[in-house]
PDB file of all heavy atoms in Angstrom:
ATOM      1  N   GLU A  26      26.621  -2.882  -1.158  1.00 67.00           N
ATOM      2  CA  GLU A  26      27.125  -3.376  -2.462  1.00 67.00           C
ATOM      3  C   GLU A  26      27.013  -2.299  -3.470  1.00 67.00           C
ATOM      4  O   GLU A  26      25.948  -1.679  -3.673  1.00 67.00           O
ATOM      5  CB  GLU A  26      26.251  -4.624  -2.889  1.00 67.00           C
ATOM      6  CG  GLU A  26      26.560  -5.124  -4.249  1.00 67.00           C
ATOM      7  CD  GLU A  26      25.586  -6.249  -4.616  1.00 67.00           C
ATOM      8  OE1 GLU A  26      24.492  -5.960  -5.133  1.00 67.00           O
ATOM      9  OE2 GLU A  26      25.946  -7.424  -4.393  1.00 67.00           O
ATOM     10  N   ALA A  27      28.131  -2.006  -4.197  1.00 79.00           N
ATOM     11  CA  ALA A  27      28.116  -1.007  -5.204  1.00 79.00           C
ATOM     12  C   ALA A  27      27.256  -1.458  -6.371  1.00 79.00           C
ATOM     13  O   ALA A  27      27.257  -2.649  -6.767  1.00 79.00           O
ATOM     14  CB  ALA A  27      29.530  -0.698  -5.652  1.00 79.00           C
ATOM     15  N   GLN A  43      34.343   9.711 -32.624  1.00 98.00           N
ATOM     16  CA  GLN A  43      34.166   8.447 -31.998  1.00 98.00           C
ATOM     17  C   GLN A  43      33.917   8.641 -30.529  1.00 98.00           C
ATOM     18  O   GLN A  43      34.471   9.554 -29.904  1.00 98.00           O
ATOM     19  CB  GLN A  43      35.430   7.569 -32.205  1.00 98.00           C
ATOM     20  CG  GLN A  43      35.263   6.148 -31.715  1.00 98.00           C
ATOM     21  CD  GLN A  43      36.265   5.802 -30.606  1.00 98.00           C
ATOM     22  OE1 GLN A  43      37.059   6.613 -30.187  1.00 98.00           O
ATOM     23  NE2 GLN A  43      36.186   4.589 -30.103  1.00 98.00           N
ATOM     24  N   LEU A  46      32.164   4.717 -24.144  1.00 98.00           N
ATOM     25  CA  LEU A  46      31.403   4.705 -22.882  1.00 98.00           C
ATOM     26  C   LEU A  46      31.852   3.527 -22.088  1.00 98.00           C
ATOM     27  O   LEU A  46      32.135   2.421 -22.631  1.00 98.00           O
ATOM     28  CB  LEU A  46      29.911   4.566 -23.197  1.00 98.00           C
ATOM     29  CG  LEU A  46      29.186   5.752 -23.798  1.00 98.00           C
ATOM     30  CD1 LEU A  46      29.719   6.166 -25.211  1.00 98.00           C
ATOM     31  CD2 LEU A  46      27.666   5.507 -23.879  1.00 98.00           C
ATOM     32  N   ARG A  47      31.956   3.674 -20.743  1.00 98.00           N
ATOM     33  CA  ARG A  47      32.457   2.628 -19.885  1.00 98.00           C
ATOM     34  C   ARG A  47      31.473   2.220 -18.874  1.00 98.00           C
ATOM     35  O   ARG A  47      30.613   2.990 -18.420  1.00 98.00           O
ATOM     36  CB  ARG A  47      33.761   3.099 -19.212  1.00 98.00           C
ATOM     37  CG  ARG A  47      34.855   3.346 -20.227  1.00 98.00           C
ATOM     38  CD  ARG A  47      36.141   3.790 -19.583  1.00 98.00           C
ATOM     39  NE  ARG A  47      37.177   3.892 -20.602  1.00 98.00           N
ATOM     40  CZ  ARG A  47      37.361   5.006 -21.376  1.00 98.00           C
ATOM     41  NH1 ARG A  47      36.551   6.046 -21.272  1.00 98.00           N
ATOM     42  NH2 ARG A  47      38.332   5.048 -22.296  1.00 98.00           N
ATOM     43  N   CYS A  48      31.541   0.927 -18.430  1.00 98.00           N
ATOM     44  CA  CYS A  48      30.611   0.372 -17.476  1.00 98.00           C
ATOM     45  C   CYS A  48      31.296  -0.673 -16.606  1.00 98.00           C
ATOM     46  O   CYS A  48      32.059  -1.484 -17.052  1.00 98.00           O
ATOM     47  CB  CYS A  48      29.477  -0.342 -18.274  1.00 98.00           C
ATOM     48  SG  CYS A  48      28.341  -1.330 -17.296  1.00 98.00           S
ATOM     49  N   PRO A  50      30.300  -3.542 -13.826  1.00 97.00           N
ATOM     50  CA  PRO A  50      29.108  -4.288 -13.319  1.00 97.00           C
ATOM     51  C   PRO A  50      29.158  -4.443 -11.785  1.00 97.00           C
ATOM     52  O   PRO A  50      30.170  -4.127 -11.174  1.00 97.00           O
ATOM     53  CB  PRO A  50      29.259  -5.647 -13.996  1.00 97.00           C
ATOM     54  CG  PRO A  50      30.708  -5.814 -14.148  1.00 97.00           C
ATOM     55  CD  PRO A  50      31.285  -4.458 -14.442  1.00 97.00           C
ATOM     56  N   ILE A  51      28.037  -4.910 -11.300  1.00 95.00           N
ATOM     57  CA  ILE A  51      28.021  -5.300  -9.878  1.00 95.00           C
ATOM     58  C   ILE A  51      28.964  -6.419  -9.607  1.00 95.00           C
ATOM     59  O   ILE A  51      29.087  -7.359 -10.455  1.00 95.00           O
ATOM     60  CB  ILE A  51      26.526  -5.645  -9.476  1.00 95.00           C
ATOM     61  CG1 ILE A  51      25.659  -4.432  -9.544  1.00 95.00           C
ATOM     62  CG2 ILE A  51      26.482  -6.328  -8.111  1.00 95.00           C
ATOM     63  CD1 ILE A  51      24.159  -4.728  -9.385  1.00 95.00           C
ATOM     64  N   ALA A  63      16.755   6.277 -27.022  1.00 93.00           N
ATOM     65  CA  ALA A  63      16.642   7.512 -27.816  1.00 93.00           C
ATOM     66  C   ALA A  63      15.237   8.045 -27.756  1.00 93.00           C
ATOM     67  O   ALA A  63      14.294   7.332 -27.649  1.00 93.00           O
ATOM     68  CB  ALA A  63      17.066   7.215 -29.253  1.00 93.00           C
ATOM     69  N   GLY A  65      11.754   8.994 -28.435  1.00 81.00           N
ATOM     70  CA  GLY A  65      10.785   8.505 -29.352  1.00 81.00           C
ATOM     71  C   GLY A  65      10.978   7.066 -29.857  1.00 81.00           C
ATOM     72  O   GLY A  65      10.111   6.488 -30.530  1.00 81.00           O
ATOM     73  N   LEU A  71      21.225  -3.255 -27.413  1.00 96.00           N
ATOM     74  CA  LEU A  71      22.374  -3.063 -28.238  1.00 96.00           C
ATOM     75  C   LEU A  71      23.321  -4.299 -28.294  1.00 96.00           C
ATOM     76  O   LEU A  71      23.523  -4.859 -29.376  1.00 96.00           O
ATOM     77  CB  LEU A  71      23.183  -1.917 -27.697  1.00 96.00           C
ATOM     78  CG  LEU A  71      23.170  -0.536 -28.466  1.00 96.00           C
ATOM     79  CD1 LEU A  71      23.838   0.512 -27.593  1.00 96.00           C
ATOM     80  CD2 LEU A  71      23.818  -0.684 -29.804  1.00 96.00           C
ATOM     81  N   LEU A  72      23.838  -4.639 -27.148  1.00 95.00           N
ATOM     82  CA  LEU A  72      24.877  -5.647 -27.079  1.00 95.00           C
ATOM     83  C   LEU A  72      24.811  -6.394 -25.766  1.00 95.00           C
ATOM     84  O   LEU A  72      24.405  -5.853 -24.758  1.00 95.00           O
ATOM     85  CB  LEU A  72      26.306  -5.020 -27.205  1.00 95.00           C
ATOM     86  CG  LEU A  72      26.701  -4.490 -28.581  1.00 95.00           C
ATOM     87  CD1 LEU A  72      27.860  -3.481 -28.406  1.00 95.00           C
ATOM     88  CD2 LEU A  72      27.120  -5.599 -29.503  1.00 95.00           C
ATOM     89  N   TYR A  74      27.426  -8.969 -23.464  1.00 93.00           N
ATOM     90  CA  TYR A  74      28.746  -9.662 -23.251  1.00 93.00           C
ATOM     91  C   TYR A  74      28.646 -10.555 -22.027  1.00 93.00           C
ATOM     92  O   TYR A  74      28.021 -10.247 -21.017  1.00 93.00           O
ATOM     93  CB  TYR A  74      29.811  -8.642 -23.012  1.00 93.00           C
ATOM     94  CG  TYR A  74      30.134  -7.862 -24.261  1.00 93.00           C
ATOM     95  CD1 TYR A  74      29.521  -6.617 -24.442  1.00 93.00           C
ATOM     96  CD2 TYR A  74      30.986  -8.355 -25.240  1.00 93.00           C
ATOM     97  CE1 TYR A  74      29.751  -5.883 -25.603  1.00 93.00           C
ATOM     98  CE2 TYR A  74      31.237  -7.589 -26.364  1.00 93.00           C
ATOM     99  CZ  TYR A  74      30.605  -6.376 -26.557  1.00 93.00           C
ATOM    100  OH  TYR A  74      30.825  -5.662 -27.707  1.00 93.00           O
ATOM    101  N   GLU A  79      31.183 -11.507 -26.956  1.00 92.00           N
ATOM    102  CA  GLU A  79      29.960 -10.931 -27.419  1.00 92.00           C
ATOM    103  C   GLU A  79      28.979 -12.102 -27.692  1.00 92.00           C
ATOM    104  O   GLU A  79      29.252 -12.930 -28.566  1.00 92.00           O
ATOM    105  CB  GLU A  79      30.166 -10.104 -28.672  1.00 92.00           C
ATOM    106  CG  GLU A  79      28.874  -9.428 -29.143  1.00 92.00           C
ATOM    107  CD  GLU A  79      29.072  -8.654 -30.438  1.00 92.00           C
ATOM    108  OE1 GLU A  79      29.897  -7.744 -30.474  1.00 92.00           O
ATOM    109  OE2 GLU A  79      28.410  -8.955 -31.448  1.00 92.00           O
ATOM    110  N   ASN A  81      25.404 -11.594 -28.140  1.00 90.00           N
ATOM    111  CA  ASN A  81      24.285 -11.239 -28.937  1.00 90.00           C
ATOM    112  C   ASN A  81      24.361  -9.731 -29.233  1.00 90.00           C
ATOM    113  O   ASN A  81      24.915  -8.976 -28.415  1.00 90.00           O
ATOM    114  CB  ASN A  81      22.944 -11.600 -28.310  1.00 90.00           C
ATOM    115  CG  ASN A  81      21.812 -11.702 -29.282  1.00 90.00           C
ATOM    116  OD1 ASN A  81      21.950 -11.478 -30.482  1.00 90.00           O
ATOM    117  ND2 ASN A  81      20.620 -12.035 -28.766  1.00 90.00           N
ATOM    118  N   ARG A  82      23.804  -9.318 -30.385  1.00 93.00           N
ATOM    119  CA  ARG A  82      23.723  -7.845 -30.594  1.00 93.00           C
ATOM    120  C   ARG A  82      22.317  -7.555 -31.207  1.00 93.00           C
ATOM    121  O   ARG A  82      21.692  -8.435 -31.853  1.00 93.00           O
ATOM    122  CB  ARG A  82      24.853  -7.395 -31.492  1.00 93.00           C
ATOM    123  CG  ARG A  82      24.839  -7.897 -32.889  1.00 93.00           C
ATOM    124  CD  ARG A  82      26.052  -7.338 -33.659  1.00 93.00           C
ATOM    125  NE  ARG A  82      25.922  -5.852 -33.855  1.00 93.00           N
ATOM    126  CZ  ARG A  82      26.876  -4.969 -33.541  1.00 93.00           C
ATOM    127  NH1 ARG A  82      27.988  -5.357 -32.957  1.00 93.00           N
ATOM    128  NH2 ARG A  82      26.689  -3.682 -33.728  1.00 93.00           N
ATOM    129  N   GLY A  83      21.886  -6.359 -30.963  1.00 93.00           N
ATOM    130  CA  GLY A  83      20.609  -5.931 -31.497  1.00 93.00           C
ATOM    131  C   GLY A  83      20.770  -5.416 -32.924  1.00 93.00           C
ATOM    132  O   GLY A  83      21.777  -5.577 -33.565  1.00 93.00           O
ATOM    133  N   ASN A  84      19.674  -4.815 -33.415  1.00 93.00           N
ATOM    134  CA  ASN A  84      19.674  -4.388 -34.792  1.00 93.00           C
ATOM    135  C   ASN A  84      20.364  -2.995 -34.933  1.00 93.00           C
ATOM    136  O   ASN A  84      19.675  -1.980 -35.161  1.00 93.00           O
ATOM    137  CB  ASN A  84      18.199  -4.317 -35.249  1.00 93.00           C
ATOM    138  CG  ASN A  84      18.097  -4.095 -36.728  1.00 93.00           C
ATOM    139  OD1 ASN A  84      19.001  -4.368 -37.464  1.00 93.00           O
ATOM    140  ND2 ASN A  84      16.939  -3.541 -37.139  1.00 93.00           N
ATOM    141  N   PRO A  87      27.359  -1.918 -37.577  1.00 96.00           N
ATOM    142  CA  PRO A  87      28.671  -2.431 -37.014  1.00 96.00           C
ATOM    143  C   PRO A  87      29.522  -1.301 -36.330  1.00 96.00           C
ATOM    144  O   PRO A  87      30.423  -1.595 -35.587  1.00 96.00           O
ATOM    145  CB  PRO A  87      29.410  -2.912 -38.239  1.00 96.00           C
ATOM    146  CG  PRO A  87      28.356  -3.257 -39.202  1.00 96.00           C
ATOM    147  CD  PRO A  87      27.239  -2.297 -38.975  1.00 96.00           C
ATOM    148  N   SER A  90      30.165  -1.050 -31.368  1.00 96.00           N
ATOM    149  CA  SER A  90      30.915  -2.226 -30.976  1.00 96.00           C
ATOM    150  C   SER A  90      31.372  -2.056 -29.533  1.00 96.00           C
ATOM    151  O   SER A  90      31.140  -1.027 -28.941  1.00 96.00           O
ATOM    152  CB  SER A  90      32.130  -2.427 -31.886  1.00 96.00           C
ATOM    153  OG  SER A  90      33.051  -1.358 -31.648  1.00 96.00           O
ATOM    154  N   ARG A  92      33.507  -4.257 -26.016  1.00 96.00           N
ATOM    155  CA  ARG A  92      34.274  -5.416 -25.509  1.00 96.00           C
ATOM    156  C   ARG A  92      34.044  -5.520 -23.974  1.00 96.00           C
ATOM    157  O   ARG A  92      33.606  -4.584 -23.332  1.00 96.00           O
ATOM    158  CB  ARG A  92      35.752  -5.278 -25.806  1.00 96.00           C
ATOM    159  CG  ARG A  92      36.419  -3.937 -25.365  1.00 96.00           C
ATOM    160  CD  ARG A  92      37.834  -3.900 -25.777  1.00 96.00           C
ATOM    161  NE  ARG A  92      38.426  -2.624 -25.500  1.00 96.00           N
ATOM    162  CZ  ARG A  92      39.751  -2.419 -25.465  1.00 96.00           C
ATOM    163  NH1 ARG A  92      40.571  -3.433 -25.711  1.00 96.00           N
ATOM    164  NH2 ARG A  92      40.182  -1.191 -25.267  1.00 96.00           N
ATOM    165  N   VAL A 103      31.314   3.786 -30.230  1.00 98.00           N
ATOM    166  CA  VAL A 103      30.476   4.191 -31.333  1.00 98.00           C
ATOM    167  C   VAL A 103      31.348   5.043 -32.268  1.00 98.00           C
ATOM    168  O   VAL A 103      31.855   6.071 -31.885  1.00 98.00           O
ATOM    169  CB  VAL A 103      29.266   5.035 -30.876  1.00 98.00           C
ATOM    170  CG1 VAL A 103      28.313   5.238 -32.055  1.00 98.00           C
ATOM    171  CG2 VAL A 103      28.533   4.329 -29.742  1.00 98.00           C
ATOM    172  N   ASN A 104      31.530   4.523 -33.489  1.00 97.00           N
ATOM    173  CA  ASN A 104      32.374   5.194 -34.492  1.00 97.00           C
ATOM    174  C   ASN A 104      31.507   6.035 -35.406  1.00 97.00           C
ATOM    175  O   ASN A 104      30.294   5.789 -35.555  1.00 97.00           O
ATOM    176  CB  ASN A 104      33.173   4.187 -35.275  1.00 97.00           C
ATOM    177  CG  ASN A 104      34.181   3.452 -34.396  1.00 97.00           C
ATOM    178  OD1 ASN A 104      34.852   4.044 -33.581  1.00 97.00           O
ATOM    179  ND2 ASN A 104      34.271   2.138 -34.608  1.00 97.00           N
ATOM    180  N   SER A 119      24.090  -8.649 -14.828  1.00 91.00           N
ATOM    181  CA  SER A 119      23.326  -9.667 -14.148  1.00 91.00           C
ATOM    182  C   SER A 119      24.241 -10.877 -13.875  1.00 91.00           C
ATOM    183  O   SER A 119      25.309 -10.993 -14.414  1.00 91.00           O
ATOM    184  CB  SER A 119      22.107 -10.143 -14.999  1.00 91.00           C
ATOM    185  OG  SER A 119      22.556 -10.964 -16.074  1.00 91.00           O
ATOM    186  N   PRO A 130      17.216 -10.630 -12.596  1.00 89.00           N
ATOM    187  CA  PRO A 130      16.990  -9.293 -13.201  1.00 89.00           C
ATOM    188  C   PRO A 130      18.292  -8.669 -13.626  1.00 89.00           C
ATOM    189  O   PRO A 130      19.315  -8.951 -13.074  1.00 89.00           O
ATOM    190  CB  PRO A 130      16.290  -8.533 -12.067  1.00 89.00           C
ATOM    191  CG  PRO A 130      16.801  -9.137 -10.832  1.00 89.00           C
ATOM    192  CD  PRO A 130      16.951 -10.633 -11.156  1.00 89.00           C
ATOM    193  N   LEU A 139      24.719  10.792 -24.327  1.00 97.00           N
ATOM    194  CA  LEU A 139      25.538  11.178 -25.414  1.00 97.00           C
ATOM    195  C   LEU A 139      24.841  12.182 -26.315  1.00 97.00           C
ATOM    196  O   LEU A 139      23.723  11.890 -26.776  1.00 97.00           O
ATOM    197  CB  LEU A 139      25.950   9.940 -26.255  1.00 97.00           C
ATOM    198  CG  LEU A 139      26.761  10.093 -27.546  1.00 97.00           C
ATOM    199  CD1 LEU A 139      28.108  10.718 -27.201  1.00 97.00           C
ATOM    200  CD2 LEU A 139      26.876   8.785 -28.242  1.00 97.00           C
TER     201      LEU A 139
END
Side-chain angles (χ1 to χ4, degrees):
Chain A
E26 173 184 88
Q43 187 240 0
L46 288 63
R47 296 180 176 83
C48 172
I51 292 172
L71 254 170
L72 288 160
Y74 292 94
E79 181 183 301
N81 200 359
R82 66 181 293 128
N84 190 24
S90 65
R92 53 181 173 166
V103 188
N104 294 319
S119 75
L139 176 62

